[in-house]
Amino acid sequence: MKTLNLGILAHVDAGKTSLTERLLLSAGVIDELGSVDAGSTRTDTMALERQRGITIRSAVVSFVVAGVNVNLIDTPGHPDFIAEVERALGVLDGAVLVVSAVEGVQAQTRVLARTLHRLGIPTLIFVNKVDRAGADLDRVLGQIVDRLTPAAVALGRVQAAGTRAARWAPFAPDDPDHRVRLVDLLTTHDDALLAAYVADERAVTPSRLRAALATWTARARVHPVQAGSAITGAGVDDLITAIAGLLPAADGDDHAPLSGTVFKVERGPAGEKIAYARIFAGTVRVRDRIRYRGDHGARVTGIDVYDGGDPVPRDSAGAGRIARLRGLTDVRVGDQLGVPPDRPAGRHHFSPPTLETVVVPVRAADRPALHAALAQLAEQDPLINLRQDDLRQEITVSLYGEVQKEVIQATLVDDHGLPVSFRETTTVCVERPVGVGAAVEWIGREPNPFLGTVGLRVEPGPLGSGVEFRLGIELGSMPLAFLKAIEETVRETLRQGLRGWEVIDCVVTLTHGGYWARQSHSHGVFDKSMSSTAGDFRNLTPLVLMAALSRAGTRVHEPVHRFRLDVPADLFGTVLPVLAGLDAVPRASTLHGATYLIEGEVPAGRVHALEQRLPSLTRGEGTLEAEFDHYRPVRGPEPSRPRWDHDPLNRKEYLLAVARRVTAPPGR
């Protein structure tokens, strides 16, 4: 049986989870429709999801239609949980993008649509809630074409919109207006179809148009639009038919070397780790030992696959499947199983979190338990970027927004019995080098206590390049393990720059390297005091790198979001001073009928304040879209971030203290 891994994506409250319930009911997987409001949906299994009526963690369910086993992945709609969506995108064969027939295209809808287009994921668009008062399919279709994609085409119309009797009526195969729209759209991509149509219009039959529609939908060049209601079931059967007939099933060779991606990690009832993995090629079997993260590996002790409903135990899982794997005790989200796939899920499709906060236990004695609990949360969501400052006894997490903070707080109380509070949310900045700096420490020369020579040069790199490590010495002049230790330590050290922020967009070149070969006394016993080890280079590299970085100098940059703000035209003059007060810079403003569209830039730290003020400022009619765009130099005093271990000015003393502990004879 073919497999289709399908994502359901939407802006929050567009009815995505309700649509998932209706699909499962129509496919015969469940006997009764669950309700988001009642907390009885199949995919929202967390207590907090049921209480709040929102999806927080991605969930997988399955159903069978027309000989295709559909693994349906329900993703969060709230932008604070975009990391869950990001992980799901790397394992999808197709997607259904849900849009509300009342609210229309919203901020998160645009973000998701752009990402689906960039990744080339075949997508159907489903306009939900046609039974709600205010539903207007024609208006929403105009927004879809204008704001999401011009390559959208409706496959039917809605009758009795805005009433409980609303229904979806597919166009007849010989409907002349629909035929013209399909031909116009498909022939922009299909030269053979265009030639056939020009030669003889009658040769382009409805079946040929349907086949062409399936071809170009599968190539993510055309996006069919359907409509209906998840609550009443209108249009859902036609959506199921489109899912099976227009979206491409998974491909892959069961006999190829194993290749997969872990996109979700959770804990079972007994605390065991369960890894959700998409198998792109090959087959994984119980008792197989599989590798991930380089030399890491473990033996699979159990496999569940999704097959027409709940996950069921199996001895193996082949290409195209989503499998739940047990036994991979130290696996992480984003790990590649076996041979890395062509489209790894670990790469970033969305911007990283731009906010952070310190988590404070209400009871001081809970501090060790709090770190362990947050470490488990970090297994499920690595982008919370758990950091611990041992000197200040503080734990910091990264955030996308305030709702995510509330969820972390509730999860710690409900699942771990740990009441916590939070410090004020702050913006996550970065540092970029402003010049070129170099430093070197020589083996056997004071004050270098380590058995290694390391010289590094730091210089600015291109914008968006991250950290590039280069060798300025011959590859064979040092053991590969020592070079690897230096590079890994460079990347780790640059997570904290001169002011405590991560250093990005720089080039670090190893200019000098040296070591003492393995030596022993005459009786053959290895003597650490005479032989270099990787530990020497891991301890020495931060000292040299920070010295070079200090000479290069850094500038702190803050994240800036690009925004689109729709406001009533009569309030345009009122909104502009407020934007100026929030350090927002309007770049363009356009009048569209009774509304103004304002586009510009705003510091990430001011987005939440703008969101809070918008309803009262615009009589509840304003809509805001904002997403990370770039970093810009901080205006005014540069903020510092508390460092994990020590003040950077005392880094040399700190490392010398480490060296004394490392090189001290046993018993001292």
Side-chain angles (χ1 to χ4, degrees):
M1 183 181 295
K2 294 181 179 180
T3 298
L4 168 65
N5 296 298
L6 177 72
I8 305 289
L9 296 85
H11 185 99
V12 66
D13 291 334
K16 168 182 50 59
T17 299
S18 296
L19 178 60
T20 299
E21 285 291 305
R22 178 61 68 173
L23 290 170
L24 295 177
L25 181 67
S26 297
V29 174
I30 57 178
D31 299 323
E32 184 177 353
L33 192 67
S35 167
V36 173
D37 294 335
S40 57
T41 58
R42 180 69 170 266
T43 53
D44 287 343
T45 56
M46 294 174 60
L48 194 57
E49 290 177 314
R50 296 179 183 275
Q51 293 167 12
R52 298 183 64 103
I54 61 173
T55 300
I56 297 171
R57 297 278 180 256
S58 297
V60 183
V61 291
S62 71
F63 61 89
V64 175
V65 56
V68 178
N69 185 69
V70 179
N71 291 326
L72 191 153
I73 305 175
D74 183 21
T75 62
H78 198 287
D80 281 14
F81 307 105
I82 194 67
E84 284 289 315
V85 182
E86 172 164 332
R87 289 187 280 276
L89 287 174
V91 303
L92 299 182
D93 301 307
V96 174
L97 182 62
V98 184
V99 182
S100 169
V102 180
E103 289 81 9
V105 172
Q106 296 170 280
Q108 186 77 345
T109 319
R110 289 172 55 85
V111 173
L112 294 170
R114 282 196 296 268
T115 306
L116 290 167
H117 176 73
R118 185 169 64 249
L119 298 177
I121 295 176
T123 303
L124 305 179
I125 300 175
F126 184 75
V127 181
N128 192 26
K129 301 186 179 182
V130 298
D131 59 319
R132 289 260 309 274
D136 186 341
L137 179 60
D138 290 337
R139 172 178 57 84
V140 175
L141 280 173
Q143 294 178 353
I144 290 171
V145 172
D146 181 49
R147 302 181 185 180
L148 301 185
T149 172
V153 58
L155 302 186
R157 62 173 64 90
V158 174
Q159 298 173 345
T163 71
R164 190 72 176 179
R167 59 182 293 268
W168 171 250
F171 291 124
D174 57 351
D175 183 292
D177 293 336
H178 177 55
R179 172 184 168 84
V180 169
R181 286 191 293 268
L182 271 183
V183 169
D184 285 347
L185 178 59
L186 294 174
T187 53
T188 61
H189 306 288
D190 194 326
D191 291 340
L193 184 66
L194 175 61
Y197 184 78
V198 170
D200 183 0
E201 294 183 16
R202 293 171 299 179
V204 181
T205 62
S207 59
R208 180 166 182 177
L209 279 178
R210 183 74 177 185
L213 178 64
T215 296
W216 294 105
T217 300
R219 296 181 185 179
R221 304 292 292 277
V222 171
H223 305 289
V225 179
Q226 295 178 272
S229 168
I231 298 301
T232 67
V236 172
D237 288 341
D238 291 297
L239 175 62
I240 290 177
T241 301
I243 289 171
L246 298 178
L247 295 179
D251 55 6
D253 183 358
D254 289 345
H255 304 290
L258 177 65
S259 177
T261 294
V262 175
F263 67 95
K264 177 179 176 178
V265 171
E266 68 178 18
R267 294 277 178 171
E272 74 277 16
K273 189 176 288 189
I274 302 173
Y276 288 67
R278 161 72 190 266
I279 309 301
F280 289 97
T283 301
V284 58
R285 299 176 177 82
V286 175
R287 293 184 294 278
D288 278 356
R289 183 173 181 83
I290 58 179
R291 293 195 171 277
Y292 47 90
R293 282 203 324 278
D295 295 333
H296 286 264
R299 194 173 302 280
V300 177
T301 60
I303 298 175
D304 297 330
V305 299
Y306 289 87
D307 195 357
D310 291 326
V312 292
R314 289 286 187 269
D315 292 331
S316 63
R321 290 285 195 173
I322 288 178
R324 303 198 324 163
L325 306 178
R326 291 177 172 82
L328 311 183
T329 54
D330 61 346
V331 75
R332 302 173 188 168
V333 168
D335 279 348
Q336 313 300 318
L337 306 181
V339 180
D342 294 334
R343 48 172 183 172
R347 65 173 184 262
H348 289 314
H349 311 308
F350 302 105
S351 60
T354 56
L355 304 172
E356 68 179 10
T357 186
V358 174
V359 188
V360 182
V362 172
R363 303 181 296 254
D366 287 341
R367 196 174 302 278
L370 174 61
H371 187 273
L374 286 171
Q376 283 198 15
L377 291 183
E379 290 177 352
Q380 302 171 13
D381 184 1
L383 290 183
I384 70 171
N385 191 27
L386 180 65
R387 302 188 308 116
Q388 178 164 314
D389 184 336
D390 293 327
L391 187 64
R392 294 174 177 82
Q393 292 294 297
E394 292 179 347
I395 302 174
T396 303
V397 295
S398 299
L399 303 168
Y400 277 101
E402 296 297 315
V403 174
Q404 188 181 9
K405 181 195 292 186
E406 296 172 15
V407 168
I408 291 174
Q409 185 177 38
T411 302
L412 290 172
V413 172
D414 296 344
D415 295 353
H416 302 277
L418 298 171
V420 299
S421 61
F422 295 92
R423 302 266 178 83
E424 182 182 1
T425 302
T426 57
T427 303
V428 178
C429 297
V430 297
E431 297 180 49
R432 285 189 172 116
V434 295
V436 179
V440 62
E441 291 283 348
W442 300 94
I443 191 170
R445 297 185 190 177
E446 291 292 339
N448 179 11
F450 303 108
L451 301 187
T453 293
V454 173
L456 296 169
R457 183 175 66 250
V458 178
E459 55 193 308
L463 294 181
S465 62
V467 175
E468 181 182 357
F469 181 78
R470 297 176 180 174
L471 287 181
I473 62 174
E474 291 186 9
L475 182 61
S477 62
M478 291 179 65
L480 188 60
F482 294 171
L483 294 175
K484 183 178 180 180
I486 293 172
E487 179 177 359
E488 290 176 349
T489 308
V490 163
R491 298 185 183 280
E492 176 66 23
T493 302
L494 289 178
R495 292 177 63 188
Q496 300 179 94
L498 301 179
R499 291 190 173 273
W501 306 106
E502 182 178 1
V503 181
I504 64 170
D505 300 342
C506 67
V507 178
V508 180
T509 304
L510 180 64
T511 58
H512 300 79
Y515 69 102
W516 285 350
R518 183 179 180 91
Q519 301 178 58
S520 60
H521 295 289
S522 56
H523 47 75
V525 178
F526 170 67
D527 187 352
K528 166 65 183 70
S529 66
M530 303 167 58
S531 310
S532 301
T533 67
D536 287 305
F537 294 95
R538 294 188 187 279
N539 285 317
L540 179 59
T541 297
L543 172 62
V544 178
L545 180 58
M546 291 304 292
L549 193 64
S550 297
R551 292 165 185 165
T554 64
R555 180 80 184 271
V556 178
H557 290 63
E558 65 179 346
V560 175
H561 283 218
R562 181 176 62 253
F563 74 85
R564 290 169 53 97
L565 178 60
D566 282 292
V567 299
D570 61 310
L571 296 176
F572 177 70
T574 305
V575 170
L576 289 182
V578 175
L579 293 175
L582 295 172
D583 294 332
V585 180
R587 300 296 186 189
S589 57
T590 310
L591 180 63
H592 292 281
T595 64
Y596 257 104
L597 171 63
I598 308 172
E599 298 179 278
E601 300 173 354
V602 61
R606 299 300 187 96
V607 172
H608 183 61
L610 180 56
E611 290 172 336
Q612 288 182 313
R613 297 194 60 179
L614 193 60
S616 60
L617 192 64
T618 63
R619 301 189 297 262
E621 300 176 35
T623 60
L624 173 69
E625 302 173 21
E627 61 177 323
F628 172 79
D629 187 62
H630 65 278
Y631 289 100
R632 75 178 183 193
V634 169
R635 299 169 183 174
E638 294 188 328
S640 293
R641 179 198 224 176
R643 297 180 61 84
W644 303 6
D645 43 28
H646 55 279
D647 188 294
L649 298 179
N650 297 326
R651 188 172 187 95
K652 191 165 187 175
E653 293 182 9
Y654 167 81
L655 285 167
L656 290 175
V658 170
R660 285 191 288 270
R661 291 198 299 270
V662 170
T663 59
R668 291 186 59 185

